[in-house]
Amino acid sequence: MAGKVFFSVSMSLDGFIAPESHAVGVRAMEGFTAPDEQDDPDVRRWMAQWMELQQWVFPLRFFRENLKLGEGGEEGRENDVVRETFERTGASVMGKRMFDLGERAWPEEAPFHTPVFVVTHAGRDPWERPGGTTFHFVDDGIEHAVDQAREAAGDRDVRIAGGGATILEYLNAGLVDEFSITLSPVLFGAGTRLFDGVDASRVALEQVRSEPSSRVTHLTYAVRPR
């Protein structure tokens, strides 16, 4: 039996999954390899906000091991959440903008270790990376991308990895079965809103789980047609 299609994101308390300005985000990612970009105050502010949003995950053992950041790290329920999300994922789907950012920032051994299907308007040969990640570029629509991901995932789940516009497109198309939000106690005031433009007339939610911790709250919802 085919698995679920889901997404899992960190979100600020006021509803944003990324700081303001995609262009600054691109420069911030470039800053990982171009030190002069890190002197830009807009880039520093963007990175500080993004790090604050994601602060809960950086100390975790599984996260550190998966990104080859060194040994050690925290264990416990939050570490299990990250590991379970990784282990349930048999393939991922992402938009071209997220791929462009990641191509600048991911290490040579990209952190997916599964097939990744990139929704794009321009065809490109598959891009194979060390560690089991191969990016496939799909130029004939979101449905074809998720169908290919389902086939590749087998009985495991398909994760819509992002970014926000791609997640929203899948949600509005009725192609998402479940999603998880890690609610982080930060305020952005502006940025990329997760549900900006959601078709609320078509999407109904059923809360599956709520798990608070000392840092964040993990919320999981099943998606139902309205």
Side-chain angles (χ1 to χ4, degrees):
M1 181 180 295
K4 296 177 180 178
V5 176
F6 79 104
F7 66 85
S8 177
V9 296
S10 297
M11 187 173 78
S12 70
L13 198 59
D14 51 349
F16 298 100
I17 60 172
E20 192 173 17
S21 179
H22 174 77
V24 174
V26 170
R27 284 155 52 205
M29 294 301 103
E30 290 173 341
F32 283 114
T33 55
D36 57 307
E37 286 285 359
Q38 297 173 14
D39 294 330
D40 186 317
D42 290 335
V43 168
R44 290 201 305 270
R45 182 168 56 252
W46 193 97
M47 284 300 299
Q49 286 185 297
W50 186 82
M51 295 285 285
E52 191 176 12
L53 178 67
Q54 305 290 351
Q55 51 80 28
W56 68 278
V57 76
F58 295 123
L60 302 180
R61 183 183 186 94
F62 184 85
F63 177 83
R64 292 179 56 80
E65 290 177 350
N66 190 37
L67 267 73
K68 304 291 191 292
L69 298 177
E71 297 181 357
E74 297 179 9
E75 300 191 27
R77 179 57 192 147
E78 289 194 330
N79 190 64
D80 291 342
V81 167
V82 175
R83 176 178 48 79
E84 289 163 6
T85 300
F86 177 86
E87 290 177 349
R88 70 182 285 193
T89 302
S92 294
V93 176
M94 69 177 59
K96 182 62 162 53
R97 292 177 73 180
M98 180 176 177
F99 173 78
D100 288 344
L101 280 174
E103 191 174 16
R104 295 173 171 89
W106 293 318
E108 183 181 13
E109 187 173 316
F112 301 96
H113 308 292
T114 65
V116 178
F117 295 85
V118 181
V119 180
T120 180
H121 295 296
R124 175 176 164 179
D125 291 336
W127 187 41
E128 186 174 351
R129 309 303 295 148
T133 300
T134 299
F135 294 94
H136 304 269
F137 300 87
V138 183
D139 60 0
D140 53 357
I142 64 171
E143 292 87 355
H144 286 94
V146 81
D147 286 346
Q148 291 180 52
R150 281 186 182 277
E151 184 176 355
D155 59 358
R156 289 165 52 179
D157 296 337
V158 172
R159 182 179 184 182
I160 310 301
T166 300
I167 288 172
L168 188 66
E169 194 172 3
Y170 275 98
L171 187 60
N172 283 340
L175 297 173
V176 174
D177 302 306
E178 181 181 286
F179 65 83
S180 296
I181 293 172
T182 297
L183 195 61
S184 189
V186 299
L187 299 172
F188 280 0
T192 301
R193 283 193 183 277
L194 178 59
F195 296 115
D196 190 13
V198 69
D199 187 350
S201 67
R202 298 185 59 189
V203 178
L205 304 179
E206 175 188 336
Q207 183 160 306
V208 174
R209 190 164 53 252
S210 175
E211 296 185 75
S213 75
S214 60
R215 292 193 181 103
V216 293
T217 300
H218 301 282
L219 304 169
T220 301
Y221 298 91
V223 181
R224 307 283 186 245
R226 189 180 291 279

